[in-house]
Amino acid sequence: MLDKLKKRRTQYALGKNLPISETQVDALIRDAIRLSPSSFNSQSSRAVVLFGKESDKFWNIASEALRAVVPAADFQATSKKLDSFASGAGTVLFYEDQEPVKALQANFPLYAHNFPIWSEHSTGMAQLAVWTALADAGIGASLQHYHPLVDADVAKTWNIPASWELKAQMPFGSNEAGFAEKTFIDDELRFRTHR
Ligand SMILES: Cc1cc2nc3c(=O)[nH]c(=O)nc-3n(C[C@H](O)[C@H](O)[C@H](O)COP(=O)(O)O)c2cc1C
């Protein structure tokens, strides 16, 4: 397990040469999310997996949305970044369905304020599971956040249910570069063990 977690890194240099088929990547993403935990086993996580031209469509939507808000002088840098995401093989859109969250709030009023928070935790766990599974299959990925700017166009393009809230976008593809050394803060700052 730890060797798999070690393989998971942010990869911006993405290409289209997946080491396994799109069908296998799709199955792997589905398995990773299906196996991820959720509060009260509510299974609120949803995913839209976009390959090839469908993924390009997403990054075009992001580009147009950003063009409208980013100062013209900065847009070239933004555009370059978006192109690097589009140069991969696909993108996973991570959603949380608010319907099961609301149902839990109605059924368990004592915890009502917690369920939206736990839904955020659940999507984080699903994202880590997918990112790690992709890395283990030799596929690079990064985690992006272009919502809510893109929400309306994305919902229209892929007919997304109104109760699904977009939480993250994960462009993925072949690893076209290595990874920089990762530094870690001192263990003393973050861990305390008592026995
Ligand atoms: C909650 C969360 C949000 C993140 N958001 C972004 C993001 O919007 N754009 C991005 O390029 N990376 C994003 N990252 C990736 C981090 O920058 C990255 O994981 C961190 O620098 C450590 O590098 P590593 O992924 O190679 O271990 C995010 C990571 C987490 C956990």
Side-chain angles (χ1 to χ4, degrees), residues 15 40 56-57 92 152:
F40 287 50
D56 292 346
K57 265 190 217 169
V92 188

Side-chain angles (χ1 to χ4, degrees), residues 4-39:
K4 294 184 198 301
L5 277 176
K6 273 186 199 150
K7 284 189 209 163
R8 186 224 50 81
R9 294 295 309 278
T10 292
Q11 177 60 275
Y12 295 120
L14 297 174
K16 301 202 184 296
N17 305 308
L18 289 174
I20 54 177
S21 71
E22 288 185 356
T23 306
Q24 286 170 312
V25 174
D26 191 53
L28 186 140
I29 292 165
R30 288 171 179 231
D31 285 344
I33 294 175
R34 198 182 299 109
L35 294 168
S36 294
S38 59
S39 67

Side-chain angles (χ1 to χ4, degrees), residues 1-14 85 127-144 169-184 190:
M1 169 63 186
L2 290 181
D3 57 319
K4 294 184 198 301
L5 277 176
K6 273 186 199 150
K7 284 189 209 163
R8 186 224 50 81
R9 294 295 309 278
T10 292
Q11 177 60 275
Y12 295 120
L14 297 174
F85 304 141
Q127 291 163 32
L128 178 63
V130 170
W131 200 348
T132 307
L134 289 173
D136 193 44
I139 296 168
S142 75
L143 194 59
Q144 303 303 323
Q169 303 87 51
M170 186 174 286
F172 62 86
S174 43
N175 285 303
E176 299 297 334
F179 301 99
E181 187 83 22
K182 190 170 166 177
T183 57
F184 297 94
R190 55 171 152 186

Side-chain angles (χ1 to χ4, degrees), residues 30-151:
R30 288 171 179 231
D31 285 344
I33 294 175
R34 198 182 299 109
L35 294 168
S36 294
S38 59
S39 67
F40 287 50
N41 197 26
S42 54
Q43 302 175 57
S44 52
S45 296
R46 306 284 179 263
V48 176
V49 185
L50 304 171
F51 287 102
K53 291 207 161 22
E54 294 297 309
S55 176
D56 292 346
K57 265 190 217 169
F58 174 80
W59 294 109
N60 282 334
I61 289 170
S63 179
E64 289 314 311
L66 284 160
R67 193 195 299 276
V69 295
V70 171
D74 300 336
F75 186 69
Q76 204 181 345
T78 301
S79 187
K80 212 171 144 206
K81 200 158 92 175
L82 296 176
D83 285 349
S84 76
F85 304 141
S87 70
T91 305
V92 188
L93 309 182
F94 289 89
Y95 287 85
E96 283 291 301
D97 190 349
Q98 300 308 300
E99 254 174 31
V101 177
K102 285 191 184 126
L104 282 168
Q105 287 182 303
N107 290 336
F108 302 95
L110 193 61
Y111 300 121
H113 67 288
N114 276 321
F115 289 116
I117 298 167
W118 290 338
S119 160
E120 298 290 339
H121 295 182
S122 294
T123 186
M125 293 194 189
Q127 291 163 32
L128 178 63
V130 170
W131 200 348
T132 307
L134 289 173
D136 193 44
I139 296 168
S142 75
L143 194 59
Q144 303 303 323
H145 299 91
Y146 289 101
H147 55 280
L149 267 184
V150 298
D151 288 8

